[in-house]
């Protein structure tokens, strides 16, 4: 939910076009007057230098200046660790891989903390209509459906380009940003014992490319 300043629409509304949390950086840059980082598609998905991002400026969506039939993102990539497991194409989501749950009903893995999220591969990929099935419970029948076959082809091509654009980067959980605390100091401040690891983020296109007044106003509810 976004509460926005004057000039960004006069009425509250629900916006169903998909956005991602990666859109926040270019959006904040745009509305604050800072340079907006270039999108990866601007460099044709080539191995991308630092400063290239996956997010897009949401200002046109918030201002209602984006045509109703135009998505903010042409494609949105969903990562499972370092694997692009799914691709959002408009109202559809194409799954190339899904998790294997030990408990299919609860969708959990009691023997481990996290289920392997790209354990089951699909050929052809599974396609879900996110507008009518946001829970992704019923994959669509794609055989003989030319429209859905085009969606799969677009997702497949985009997935390959996105994967090729990613520059390998060490997992941030394996980087120690601070030197060890001295023993004498650690004795007096137990909370600072040892080295503090970075927050847990898996390597992804973002990690690879990133060098990187209260008042009642109209609100916009965005899908993510």
């Amino acid at each position: 939910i976004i509460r926005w300043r004057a000039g960004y629409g006069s009425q509250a509304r629900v916006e169903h076009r998909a956005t991602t949390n990666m859109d926040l950086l270019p959006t904040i840059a745009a509305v604050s007057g800072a340079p907006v980082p270039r999108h990866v598609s601007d460099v044709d998905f080539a191995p991308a230098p630092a400063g290239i991002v996956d997010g897009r400026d949401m200002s046109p969506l918030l201002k209602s200046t984006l045509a109703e039939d135009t998505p903010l993102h042409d494609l949105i990539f969903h990562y499972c660790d370092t694997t692009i497991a799914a691709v959002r194409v408009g109202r559809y989501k194409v799954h190339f891989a899904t998790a294997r749950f030990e408990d299919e009903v609860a969708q959990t893995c009691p023997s481990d903390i996290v289920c392997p999220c790209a354990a089951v591969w699909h050929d052809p990929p599974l396609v879900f209509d996110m507008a009518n099935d946001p829970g992704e419970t019923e994959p669509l029948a794609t055989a003989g459906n030319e429209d859905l076959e085009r969606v799969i082809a677009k997702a497949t091509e985009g997935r390959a380009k996105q994967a090729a654009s990613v520059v390998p980067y060490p997992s941030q959980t394996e980087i120690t940003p601070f030197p060890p605390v001295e023993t004498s100091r650690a004795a007096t401040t137990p909370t600072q014992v040892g080295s503090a690891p970075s927050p847990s983020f898996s390597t992804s296109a973002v990690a690879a490319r990133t060098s990187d007044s209260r008042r009642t106003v109209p609100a916009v509810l965005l899908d993510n």
Side-chain angles (χ1 to χ4, degrees):
I1 298 176
I2 295 179
R3 298 202 319 172
W4 211 245
R5 62 181 175 83
Y8 280 75
S10 58
Q11 295 182 349
R13 71 183 193 280
V14 176
E15 176 58 67
H16 292 287
R17 278 169 287 190
T19 62
T20 81
N21 55 6
M22 293 179 290
D23 297 329
L24 292 175
L25 187 152
T27 302
I28 292 171
V31 301
S32 64
V36 178
R38 296 173 67 194
H39 189 264
V40 62
S41 63
D42 295 338
V43 292
D44 196 29
F45 289 91
I52 301 298
V53 299
D54 293 291
R56 288 192 179 277
D57 173 19
M58 292 187 290
S59 296
L61 206 59
L62 298 170
K63 293 178 180 178
S64 300
T65 58
L66 189 65
E68 289 189 6
D69 58 348
T70 303
L72 182 66
H73 288 269
D74 192 35
L75 300 170
I76 296 177
F77 302 99
H78 296 262
Y79 276 79
C80 165
D81 196 16
T82 59
T83 300
I84 303 174
V87 180
R88 179 75 181 260
V89 185
R91 65 184 290 165
Y92 300 104
K93 189 174 179 181
V94 181
H95 280 267
F96 294 90
T98 53
R100 177 181 285 117
F101 301 109
E102 293 175 9
D103 185 337
E104 291 290 346
V105 176
Q107 295 191 347
T108 59
C109 293
S111 66
D112 203 347
I113 297 176
V114 179
C115 297
C117 53
V120 182
W121 288 85
H122 305 286
D123 186 14
L126 303 181
V127 180
F128 296 90
D129 181 354
M130 301 300 288
N132 294 317
D133 181 22
E136 303 174 26
T137 59
E138 295 292 335
L140 301 173
T142 58
N145 187 317
E146 294 183 359
D147 289 339
L148 293 183
E149 288 176 352
R150 280 193 290 269
V151 167
I152 292 175
K154 184 174 182 177
T156 302
E157 179 184 10
R159 180 176 181 270
K161 288 183 176 181
Q162 173 77 358
S165 77
V166 175
V167 178
Y169 192 84
S171 170
Q172 294 185 27
T173 61
E174 298 172 5
I175 297 175
T176 304
F178 306 111
V181 178
E182 296 178 5
T183 305
S184 58
R185 181 183 175 189
T188 58
T189 54
T191 58
Q192 299 184 30
V193 173
S195 301
S198 297
S200 177
F201 296 108
S202 60
T203 305
S204 69
V206 185
R209 282 194 289 271
T210 302
S211 57
D212 290 295
S213 66
R214 295 182 59 88
R215 47 187 281 193
T216 302
V217 295
V220 180
L221 178 62
L222 297 171
D223 274 357
N224 190 338

